[in-house]
Amino acid sequence: MIRSMTGYGKATTVVQHQKIIVEIRTLNSKQLDLNMRLPQSFREKEIALRNLLREGLKRGKADFSISREQAEKEDGPVLNKPVALRYYRELKSLASEVGAGEKEDYLAIIARFPEIFAWEDILPDEKEWTQIFDAVQEAVNQVDQFRKQEGSVLEKDFRQRIASILSLLQKVDAYEEKRIGRIKERIVKNLNEHLNDVHFDKNRLEQELIYYIEKLDVTEEKVRLKKHCNYFLEVMDGEEVAGKKLGFVLQEMGREINTLGSKANDADMQKIVVLMKDELEKMKEQMLNIL
Protein backbone atom coordinates (compact mmCIF):
# COMPACT_ATOMS: atom_id res chain seq x y z
CA MET A 1 0.00 0.00 0.00
CA ILE A 2 1.30 3.43 -0.92
CA ARG A 3 1.02 6.51 1.27
CA SER A 4 0.44 10.16 0.49
CA MET A 5 2.81 12.73 1.97
CA THR A 6 -0.17 14.87 3.01
CA GLY A 7 -1.25 14.23 6.58
CA TYR A 8 -2.46 15.67 9.87
CA GLY A 9 -2.28 14.43 13.45
CA LYS A 10 -3.15 15.88 16.86
CA ALA A 11 -2.80 14.50 20.38
CA THR A 12 -3.03 15.92 23.90
CA THR A 13 -1.86 15.12 27.40
CA VAL A 14 -1.87 16.93 30.76
CA VAL A 15 1.37 17.75 32.56
CA GLN A 16 1.53 19.83 35.75
CA HIS A 17 -2.00 21.23 35.29
CA GLN A 18 -1.20 22.31 31.73
CA LYS A 19 -2.77 20.77 28.65
CA ILE A 20 0.01 19.86 26.19
CA ILE A 21 -1.17 19.92 22.57
CA VAL A 22 0.88 18.19 19.89
CA GLU A 23 0.08 18.95 16.22
CA ILE A 24 1.70 17.71 13.01
CA ARG A 25 0.91 18.86 9.46
CA THR A 26 2.72 17.36 6.46
CA LEU A 27 2.90 18.19 2.76
CA ASN A 28 4.99 16.84 -0.11
CA SER A 29 8.75 17.38 -0.30
CA LYS A 30 11.68 15.44 -1.75
CA GLN A 31 13.28 15.03 1.68
CA LEU A 32 12.16 15.45 5.29
CA ASP A 33 11.87 19.20 5.84
CA LEU A 34 11.01 19.56 9.53
CA ASN A 35 9.90 22.83 11.12
CA MET A 36 9.56 22.63 14.94
CA ARG A 37 7.92 25.05 17.38
CA LEU A 38 8.49 24.18 21.03
CA PRO A 39 8.18 25.92 24.42
CA GLN A 40 11.60 27.09 25.56
CA SER A 41 11.72 24.62 28.44
CA PHE A 42 11.15 21.71 26.01
CA ARG A 43 14.24 22.48 23.90
CA GLU A 44 16.40 20.02 25.80
CA LYS A 45 14.47 17.18 24.12
CA GLU A 46 14.53 18.65 20.61
CA ILE A 47 17.03 16.12 19.22
CA ALA A 48 15.08 13.17 20.63
CA LEU A 49 11.85 14.60 19.21
CA ARG A 50 13.49 15.09 15.81
CA ASN A 51 14.65 11.48 15.77
CA LEU A 52 11.16 10.24 16.63
CA LEU A 53 9.61 12.38 13.89
CA ARG A 54 12.26 11.41 11.33
CA GLU A 55 11.58 7.74 11.99
CA GLY A 56 7.81 8.12 11.82
CA LEU A 57 7.36 10.63 8.98
CA LYS A 58 10.15 9.51 6.60
CA ARG A 59 9.65 12.26 4.02
CA GLY A 60 7.70 15.45 3.44
CA LYS A 61 7.51 19.05 4.61
CA ALA A 62 6.36 18.77 8.23
CA ASP A 63 5.21 21.48 10.65
CA PHE A 64 5.45 20.18 14.22
CA SER A 65 4.31 22.17 17.24
CA ILE A 66 3.82 21.69 20.96
CA SER A 67 1.59 24.30 22.58
CA ARG A 68 -0.03 24.69 25.98
CA GLU A 69 -3.50 25.57 27.26
CA GLN A 70 -5.05 25.77 30.68
CA ALA A 71 -6.15 22.40 31.94
CA GLU A 72 -8.36 23.84 34.70
CA LYS A 73 -10.36 27.06 34.89
CA GLU A 74 -8.22 28.62 37.60
CA ASP A 75 -5.07 28.01 35.58
CA GLY A 76 -3.94 30.39 32.91
CA PRO A 77 -1.10 32.49 31.56
CA VAL A 78 1.03 34.39 34.04
CA LEU A 79 1.56 38.16 33.80
CA ASN A 80 5.17 38.96 32.96
CA LYS A 81 5.44 41.92 35.34
CA PRO A 82 9.01 43.04 34.53
CA VAL A 83 8.21 43.27 30.83
CA ALA A 84 4.88 45.00 31.50
CA LEU A 85 6.53 47.60 33.75
CA ARG A 86 9.24 48.28 31.18
CA TYR A 87 6.65 48.86 28.45
CA TYR A 88 4.62 51.08 30.78
CA ARG A 89 7.61 53.30 31.64
CA GLU A 90 8.69 53.53 28.01
CA LEU A 91 5.21 54.48 26.78
CA LYS A 92 4.75 57.03 29.57
CA SER A 93 8.16 58.57 28.83
CA LEU A 94 7.40 58.72 25.11
CA ALA A 95 4.03 60.41 25.77
CA SER A 96 5.76 63.01 27.94
CA GLU A 97 8.37 63.75 25.27
CA VAL A 98 5.84 64.27 22.48
CA GLY A 99 3.43 66.19 24.74
CA ALA A 100 0.63 63.64 24.49
CA GLY A 101 -0.24 63.89 28.15
CA GLU A 102 -1.38 60.98 30.25
CA LYS A 103 -4.88 60.49 28.88
CA GLU A 104 -4.00 57.23 27.12
CA ASP A 105 -4.83 53.96 28.87
CA TYR A 106 -1.35 52.45 28.76
CA LEU A 107 -2.39 49.27 30.51
CA ALA A 108 -4.99 48.53 27.83
CA ILE A 109 -2.31 49.03 25.16
CA ILE A 110 0.26 46.90 26.94
CA ALA A 111 -2.22 44.06 27.51
CA ARG A 112 -2.44 43.54 23.74
CA PHE A 113 1.29 42.75 23.47
CA PRO A 114 1.70 38.94 23.11
CA GLU A 115 4.71 38.62 25.43
CA ILE A 116 2.93 40.31 28.36
CA PHE A 117 1.10 37.12 29.28
CA ALA A 118 3.05 33.87 29.12
CA TRP A 119 2.60 30.35 30.30
CA GLU A 120 4.62 29.48 33.33
CA ASP A 121 7.51 27.31 32.22
CA ILE A 122 7.31 23.74 33.39
CA LEU A 123 10.16 21.26 33.61
CA PRO A 124 8.73 17.77 33.06
CA ASP A 125 10.29 14.86 34.92
CA GLU A 126 11.07 11.56 33.18
CA LYS A 127 7.59 10.15 33.73
CA GLU A 128 6.01 13.31 32.29
CA TRP A 129 8.40 13.24 29.33
CA THR A 130 7.18 9.71 28.64
CA GLN A 131 3.62 11.12 28.53
CA ILE A 132 4.69 13.84 26.09
CA PHE A 133 6.57 11.43 23.83
CA ASP A 134 3.56 9.10 23.85
CA ALA A 135 1.41 12.04 22.69
CA VAL A 136 3.90 12.82 19.92
CA GLN A 137 3.85 9.17 18.82
CA GLU A 138 0.04 9.21 18.80
CA ALA A 139 0.09 12.29 16.54
CA VAL A 140 2.59 10.56 14.23
CA ASN A 141 0.31 7.51 14.09
CA GLN A 142 -2.62 9.74 13.14
CA VAL A 143 -0.55 11.31 10.37
CA ASP A 144 0.31 7.82 9.11
CA GLN A 145 -3.37 6.81 9.12
CA PHE A 146 -4.27 10.00 7.25
CA ARG A 147 -1.54 9.28 4.71
CA LYS A 148 -2.83 5.73 4.20
CA GLN A 149 -6.34 7.01 3.47
CA GLU A 150 -5.02 9.57 0.98
CA GLY A 151 -2.71 6.94 -0.50
CA SER A 152 -5.57 4.49 -1.12
CA VAL A 153 -7.30 7.11 -3.28
CA LEU A 154 -4.11 7.73 -5.25
CA GLU A 155 -3.49 3.98 -5.58
CA LYS A 156 -6.92 3.48 -7.14
CA ASP A 157 -6.20 6.26 -9.61
CA PHE A 158 -2.79 4.77 -10.52
CA ARG A 159 -4.31 1.34 -11.14
CA GLN A 160 -6.90 2.81 -13.46
CA ARG A 161 -4.28 4.70 -15.45
CA ILE A 162 -1.94 1.70 -15.70
CA ALA A 163 -4.90 -0.36 -16.94
CA SER A 164 -5.64 2.37 -19.48
CA ILE A 165 -2.03 2.38 -20.76
CA LEU A 166 -2.02 -1.43 -21.09
CA SER A 167 -5.36 -1.30 -22.91
CA LEU A 168 -4.01 1.33 -25.32
CA LEU A 169 -0.90 -0.78 -25.82
CA GLN A 170 -3.03 -3.70 -27.00
CA LYS A 171 -4.64 -1.45 -29.61
CA VAL A 172 -1.22 -0.87 -31.18
CA ASP A 173 -1.26 -4.45 -32.53
CA ALA A 174 -4.29 -3.72 -34.71
CA TYR A 175 -2.44 -0.95 -36.55
CA GLU A 176 1.05 -2.42 -36.62
CA GLU A 177 0.66 -4.88 -39.51
CA LYS A 178 -1.33 -2.39 -41.58
CA ARG A 179 1.33 0.24 -40.87
CA ILE A 180 4.18 -1.92 -42.20
CA GLY A 181 2.12 -2.74 -45.31
CA ARG A 182 1.40 0.93 -45.96
CA ILE A 183 5.08 1.84 -45.52
CA LYS A 184 6.11 -0.84 -48.05
CA GLU A 185 3.50 0.35 -50.55
CA ARG A 186 4.58 3.96 -50.16
CA ILE A 187 8.26 3.15 -50.68
CA VAL A 188 7.57 0.95 -53.73
CA LYS A 189 5.28 3.57 -55.21
CA ASN A 190 7.87 6.31 -54.82
CA LEU A 191 10.55 4.10 -56.35
CA ASN A 192 8.36 3.29 -59.34
CA GLU A 193 7.49 6.95 -59.87
CA HIS A 194 10.96 8.40 -59.55
CA LEU A 195 13.43 5.64 -60.40
CA ASN A 196 12.01 4.12 -63.60
CA ASP A 197 14.98 5.24 -65.66
CA VAL A 198 17.57 4.64 -62.98
CA HIS A 199 19.47 1.34 -62.74
CA PHE A 200 19.87 -0.02 -59.21
CA ASP A 201 20.65 -3.29 -57.47
CA LYS A 202 17.29 -4.80 -56.51
CA ASN A 203 18.87 -7.20 -54.01
CA ARG A 204 20.62 -4.35 -52.29
CA LEU A 205 17.42 -2.31 -52.28
CA GLU A 206 15.54 -5.21 -50.72
CA GLN A 207 18.14 -5.49 -47.97
CA GLU A 208 17.92 -1.77 -47.23
CA LEU A 209 14.13 -1.98 -47.22
CA ILE A 210 14.17 -4.86 -44.71
CA TYR A 211 16.65 -2.95 -42.52
CA TYR A 212 14.48 0.16 -42.63
CA ILE A 213 11.31 -1.74 -41.73
CA GLU A 214 13.10 -3.55 -38.87
CA LYS A 215 14.11 -0.17 -37.42
CA LEU A 216 10.42 0.72 -37.34
CA ASP A 217 9.53 -2.45 -35.43
CA VAL A 218 8.12 -1.63 -31.98
CA THR A 219 7.96 -5.14 -30.49
CA GLU A 220 10.73 -4.50 -27.96
CA GLU A 221 9.18 -1.22 -26.83
CA LYS A 222 5.81 -2.90 -26.30
CA VAL A 223 7.33 -5.74 -24.29
CA ARG A 224 9.38 -3.38 -22.10
CA LEU A 225 6.46 -1.00 -21.54
CA LYS A 226 4.25 -3.89 -20.43
CA LYS A 227 6.97 -5.10 -18.03
CA HIS A 228 7.37 -1.60 -16.57
CA CYS A 229 3.60 -1.33 -16.01
CA ASN A 230 3.52 -4.69 -14.22
CA TYR A 231 6.58 -3.75 -12.14
CA PHE A 232 4.89 -0.47 -11.15
CA LEU A 233 1.93 -2.44 -9.77
CA GLU A 234 4.28 -4.89 -8.05
CA VAL A 235 6.22 -2.11 -6.26
CA MET A 236 2.99 -0.35 -5.30
CA ASP A 237 1.69 -3.56 -3.69
CA GLY A 238 4.92 -4.55 -1.97
CA GLU A 239 6.56 -1.41 -0.55
CA GLU A 240 5.21 1.14 1.91
CA VAL A 241 7.72 3.92 1.09
CA ALA A 242 7.83 3.55 -2.67
CA GLY A 243 7.51 7.09 -4.02
CA LYS A 244 11.05 7.46 -5.36
CA LYS A 245 11.16 3.99 -6.92
CA LEU A 246 7.76 4.45 -8.56
CA GLY A 247 9.00 7.76 -9.95
CA PHE A 248 11.94 5.99 -11.60
CA VAL A 249 9.60 3.37 -13.09
CA LEU A 250 7.44 6.14 -14.56
CA GLN A 251 10.55 7.62 -16.20
CA GLU A 252 11.28 4.27 -17.87
CA MET A 253 7.68 4.01 -19.01
CA GLY A 254 7.98 7.48 -20.51
CA ARG A 255 11.10 6.48 -22.47
CA GLU A 256 9.35 3.47 -24.02
CA ILE A 257 6.25 5.50 -24.92
CA ASN A 258 8.40 8.23 -26.50
CA THR A 259 10.35 5.65 -28.53
CA LEU A 260 7.09 4.04 -29.59
CA GLY A 261 5.91 7.43 -30.83
CA SER A 262 9.12 8.20 -32.71
CA LYS A 263 8.96 4.83 -34.49
CA ALA A 264 5.23 4.87 -35.17
CA ASN A 265 5.32 6.70 -38.51
CA ASP A 266 1.55 6.25 -38.53
CA ALA A 267 -1.25 8.68 -37.61
CA ASP A 268 -3.40 6.08 -35.84
CA MET A 269 -0.52 4.84 -33.69
CA GLN A 270 0.50 8.42 -32.89
CA LYS A 271 -2.98 9.05 -31.51
CA ILE A 272 -2.58 6.06 -29.19
CA VAL A 273 0.84 7.32 -28.07
CA VAL A 274 -0.64 10.76 -27.28
CA LEU A 275 -3.30 9.14 -25.09
CA MET A 276 -0.60 7.12 -23.29
CA LYS A 277 1.43 10.25 -22.66
CA ASP A 278 -1.63 11.99 -21.24
CA GLU A 279 -2.17 9.17 -18.74
CA LEU A 280 1.52 9.16 -17.85
CA GLU A 281 1.66 12.92 -17.21
CA LYS A 282 -1.31 12.70 -14.85
CA MET A 283 0.46 9.94 -12.95
CA LYS A 284 3.63 12.03 -12.70
CA GLU A 285 1.66 14.91 -11.18
CA GLN A 286 0.17 12.63 -8.55
CA MET A 287 3.54 10.98 -7.91
CA LEU A 288 4.87 14.22 -6.40
CA ASN A 289 2.71 13.53 -3.35
CA ILE A 290 3.65 9.86 -2.82
CA LEU A 291 5.76 8.98 0.21
Side-chain angles (χ1 to χ4, degrees), residues 93-114:
S93 174
L94 178 63
S96 177
E97 287 183 25
V98 300
E102 297 186 1
K103 294 180 180 180
E104 290 289 346
D105 187 352
Y106 300 127
L107 291 179
I109 297 172
I110 293 170
R112 292 197 290 268
F113 295 167

mmCIF file of all heavy atoms in Angstrom, residues 93-114:
data_model
loop_
_atom_site.group_PDB
_atom_site.id
_atom_site.type_symbol
_atom_site.label_atom_id
_atom_site.label_comp_id
_atom_site.label_asym_id
_atom_site.label_seq_id
_atom_site.Cartn_x
_atom_site.Cartn_y
_atom_site.Cartn_z
ATOM 1 N N SER A 93 7.076 57.643 29.157
ATOM 2 C CA SER A 93 8.160 58.566 28.835
ATOM 3 C C SER A 93 7.991 59.142 27.432
ATOM 4 O O SER A 93 8.181 60.340 27.208
ATOM 5 C CB SER A 93 9.506 57.838 28.950
ATOM 6 O OG SER A 93 10.556 58.655 28.517
ATOM 7 N N LEU A 94 7.596 58.267 26.486
ATOM 8 C CA LEU A 94 7.398 58.722 25.111
ATOM 9 C C LEU A 94 6.260 59.738 25.042
ATOM 10 O O LEU A 94 6.364 60.766 24.351
ATOM 11 C CB LEU A 94 7.101 57.522 24.209
ATOM 12 C CG LEU A 94 6.819 57.839 22.745
ATOM 13 C CD1 LEU A 94 8.047 58.480 22.088
ATOM 14 C CD2 LEU A 94 6.410 56.571 21.983
ATOM 15 N N ALA A 95 5.175 59.488 25.775
ATOM 16 C CA ALA A 95 4.029 60.415 25.768
ATOM 17 C C ALA A 95 4.443 61.773 26.317
ATOM 18 O O ALA A 95 4.014 62.821 25.821
ATOM 19 C CB ALA A 95 2.893 59.824 26.598
ATOM 20 N N SER A 96 5.299 61.754 27.347
ATOM 21 C CA SER A 96 5.759 63.011 27.940
ATOM 22 C C SER A 96 6.623 63.785 26.950
ATOM 23 O O SER A 96 6.500 65.006 26.825
ATOM 24 C CB SER A 96 6.538 62.723 29.215
ATOM 25 O OG SER A 96 7.057 63.909 29.764
ATOM 26 N N GLU A 97 7.467 63.091 26.211
ATOM 27 C CA GLU A 97 8.369 63.746 25.268
ATOM 28 C C GLU A 97 7.620 64.378 24.103
ATOM 29 O O GLU A 97 7.993 65.445 23.618
ATOM 30 C CB GLU A 97 9.385 62.737 24.728
ATOM 31 C CG GLU A 97 10.451 62.355 25.740
ATOM 32 C CD GLU A 97 11.487 61.412 25.134
ATOM 33 O OE1 GLU A 97 11.647 61.438 23.899
ATOM 34 O OE2 GLU A 97 12.121 60.667 25.899
ATOM 35 N N VAL A 98 6.574 63.729 23.640
ATOM 36 C CA VAL A 98 5.835 64.273 22.485
ATOM 37 C C VAL A 98 4.674 65.142 22.918
ATOM 38 O O VAL A 98 3.912 65.649 22.074
ATOM 39 C CB VAL A 98 5.325 63.121 21.579
ATOM 40 C CG1 VAL A 98 6.481 62.298 21.055
ATOM 41 C CG2 VAL A 98 4.320 62.234 22.303
ATOM 42 N N GLY A 99 4.486 65.312 24.248
ATOM 43 C CA GLY A 99 3.428 66.193 24.742
ATOM 44 C C GLY A 99 2.045 65.613 24.581
ATOM 45 O O GLY A 99 1.071 66.351 24.412
ATOM 46 N N ALA A 100 1.937 64.285 24.664
ATOM 47 C CA ALA A 100 0.635 63.638 24.485
ATOM 48 C C ALA A 100 -0.163 63.579 25.778
ATOM 49 O O ALA A 100 -1.333 63.239 25.776
ATOM 50 C CB ALA A 100 0.831 62.214 23.938
ATOM 51 N N GLY A 101 0.473 63.933 26.881
ATOM 52 C CA GLY A 101 -0.237 63.894 28.153
ATOM 53 C C GLY A 101 -0.396 62.466 28.650
ATOM 54 O O GLY A 101 0.205 61.531 28.135
ATOM 55 N N GLU A 102 -1.206 62.301 29.657
ATOM 56 C CA GLU A 102 -1.379 60.978 30.251
ATOM 57 C C GLU A 102 -2.823 60.495 30.146
ATOM 58 O O GLU A 102 -3.334 59.794 31.008
ATOM 59 C CB GLU A 102 -0.949 60.999 31.717
ATOM 60 C CG GLU A 102 0.528 61.328 31.890
ATOM 61 C CD GLU A 102 0.956 61.196 33.336
ATOM 62 O OE1 GLU A 102 0.097 60.837 34.173
ATOM 63 O OE2 GLU A 102 2.139 61.446 33.619
ATOM 64 N N LYS A 103 -3.493 60.899 29.060
ATOM 65 C CA LYS A 103 -4.882 60.490 28.881
ATOM 66 C C LYS A 103 -5.003 59.054 28.367
ATOM 67 O O LYS A 103 -6.032 58.426 28.524
ATOM 68 C CB LYS A 103 -5.581 61.446 27.920
ATOM 69 C CG LYS A 103 -5.711 62.861 28.464
ATOM 70 C CD LYS A 103 -6.419 63.752 27.460
ATOM 71 C CE LYS A 103 -6.549 65.168 28.003
ATOM 72 N NZ LYS A 103 -7.234 66.076 27.044
ATOM 73 N N GLU A 104 -3.954 58.574 27.701
ATOM 74 C CA GLU A 104 -4.004 57.227 27.122
ATOM 75 C C GLU A 104 -4.047 56.163 28.222
ATOM 76 O O GLU A 104 -3.431 56.327 29.285
ATOM 77 C CB GLU A 104 -2.787 56.979 26.226
ATOM 78 C CG GLU A 104 -2.785 57.783 24.931
ATOM 79 C CD GLU A 104 -3.837 57.302 23.951
ATOM 80 O OE1 GLU A 104 -4.387 56.198 24.137
ATOM 81 O OE2 GLU A 104 -4.120 58.043 22.998
ATOM 82 N N ASP A 105 -4.780 55.096 27.956
ATOM 83 C CA ASP A 105 -4.830 53.957 28.871
ATOM 84 C C ASP A 105 -3.693 53.010 28.495
ATOM 85 O O ASP A 105 -3.851 52.107 27.671
ATOM 86 C CB ASP A 105 -6.184 53.245 28.747
ATOM 87 C CG ASP A 105 -6.355 52.164 29.800
ATOM 88 O OD1 ASP A 105 -5.365 51.882 30.517
ATOM 89 O OD2 ASP A 105 -7.458 51.602 29.902
ATOM 90 N N TYR A 106 -2.531 53.229 29.114
ATOM 91 C CA TYR A 106 -1.346 52.451 28.764
ATOM 92 C C TYR A 106 -1.517 50.967 29.076
ATOM 93 O O TYR A 106 -1.001 50.106 28.364
ATOM 94 C CB TYR A 106 -0.115 53.002 29.491
ATOM 95 C CG TYR A 106 0.185 54.445 29.150
ATOM 96 C CD1 TYR A 106 0.335 55.401 30.159
ATOM 97 C CD2 TYR A 106 0.316 54.853 27.822
ATOM 98 C CE1 TYR A 106 0.605 56.724 29.848
ATOM 99 C CE2 TYR A 106 0.586 56.168 27.505
ATOM 100 C CZ TYR A 106 0.732 57.101 28.525
ATOM 101 O OH TYR A 106 0.992 58.407 28.214
ATOM 102 N N LEU A 107 -2.220 50.671 30.141
ATOM 103 C CA LEU A 107 -2.395 49.270 30.513
ATOM 104 C C LEU A 107 -3.189 48.509 29.447
ATOM 105 O O LEU A 107 -2.890 47.347 29.146
ATOM 106 C CB LEU A 107 -3.099 49.168 31.880
ATOM 107 C CG LEU A 107 -2.284 49.620 33.093
ATOM 108 C CD1 LEU A 107 -3.106 49.492 34.363
ATOM 109 C CD2 LEU A 107 -0.995 48.812 33.201
ATOM 110 N N ALA A 108 -4.197 49.181 28.884
ATOM 111 C CA ALA A 108 -4.991 48.529 27.827
ATOM 112 C C ALA A 108 -4.127 48.272 26.596
ATOM 113 O O ALA A 108 -4.263 47.246 25.925
ATOM 114 C CB ALA A 108 -6.192 49.399 27.465
ATOM 115 N N ILE A 109 -3.211 49.206 26.302
ATOM 116 C CA ILE A 109 -2.313 49.034 25.155
ATOM 117 C C ILE A 109 -1.334 47.904 25.412
ATOM 118 O O ILE A 109 -1.130 47.023 24.570
ATOM 119 C CB ILE A 109 -1.548 50.349 24.872
ATOM 120 C CG1 ILE A 109 -2.523 51.461 24.484
ATOM 121 C CG2 ILE A 109 -0.502 50.127 23.782
ATOM 122 C CD1 ILE A 109 -1.885 52.827 24.378
ATOM 123 N N ILE A 110 -0.745 47.908 26.588
ATOM 124 C CA ILE A 110 0.256 46.900 26.940
ATOM 125 C C ILE A 110 -0.338 45.502 26.948
ATOM 126 O O ILE A 110 0.301 44.524 26.545
ATOM 127 C CB ILE A 110 0.891 47.232 28.309
ATOM 128 C CG1 ILE A 110 1.708 48.526 28.215
ATOM 129 C CG2 ILE A 110 1.770 46.087 28.799
ATOM 130 C CD1 ILE A 110 2.157 49.059 29.551
ATOM 131 N N ALA A 111 -1.574 45.382 27.395
ATOM 132 C CA ALA A 111 -2.216 44.063 27.507
ATOM 133 C C ALA A 111 -2.361 43.365 26.159
ATOM 134 O O ALA A 111 -2.527 42.141 26.110
ATOM 135 C CB ALA A 111 -3.577 44.200 28.171
ATOM 136 N N ARG A 112 -2.295 44.134 25.079
ATOM 137 C CA ARG A 112 -2.435 43.535 23.740
ATOM 138 C C ARG A 112 -1.118 42.965 23.225
ATOM 139 O O ARG A 112 -1.091 42.268 22.217
ATOM 140 C CB ARG A 112 -2.979 44.577 22.754
ATOM 141 C CG ARG A 112 -4.418 44.982 23.033
ATOM 142 C CD ARG A 112 -5.035 45.676 21.834
ATOM 143 N NE ARG A 112 -4.453 46.991 21.617
ATOM 144 C CZ ARG A 112 -4.950 48.127 22.123
ATOM 145 N NH1 ARG A 112 -6.035 48.099 22.882
ATOM 146 N NH2 ARG A 112 -4.384 49.288 21.877
ATOM 147 N N PHE A 113 -0.002 43.276 23.896
ATOM 148 C CA PHE A 113 1.293 42.747 23.471
ATOM 149 C C PHE A 113 1.366 41.258 23.825
ATOM 150 O O PHE A 113 1.087 40.875 24.967
ATOM 151 C CB PHE A 113 2.448 43.497 24.148
ATOM 152 C CG PHE A 113 2.538 44.954 23.750
ATOM 153 C CD1 PHE A 113 3.337 45.828 24.468
ATOM 154 C CD2 PHE A 113 1.831 45.437 22.660
ATOM 155 C CE1 PHE A 113 3.432 47.160 24.108
ATOM 156 C CE2 PHE A 113 1.917 46.769 22.292
ATOM 157 C CZ PHE A 113 2.706 47.628 23.014
ATOM 158 N N PRO A 114 1.754 40.391 22.872
ATOM 159 C CA PRO A 114 1.705 38.939 23.114
ATOM 160 C C PRO A 114 2.627 38.443 24.215
ATOM 161 O O PRO A 114 2.313 37.481 24.903
ATOM 162 C CB PRO A 114 2.124 38.348 21.757
ATOM 163 C CG PRO A 114 2.867 39.444 21.067
ATOM 164 C CD PRO A 114 2.223 40.717 21.521
#
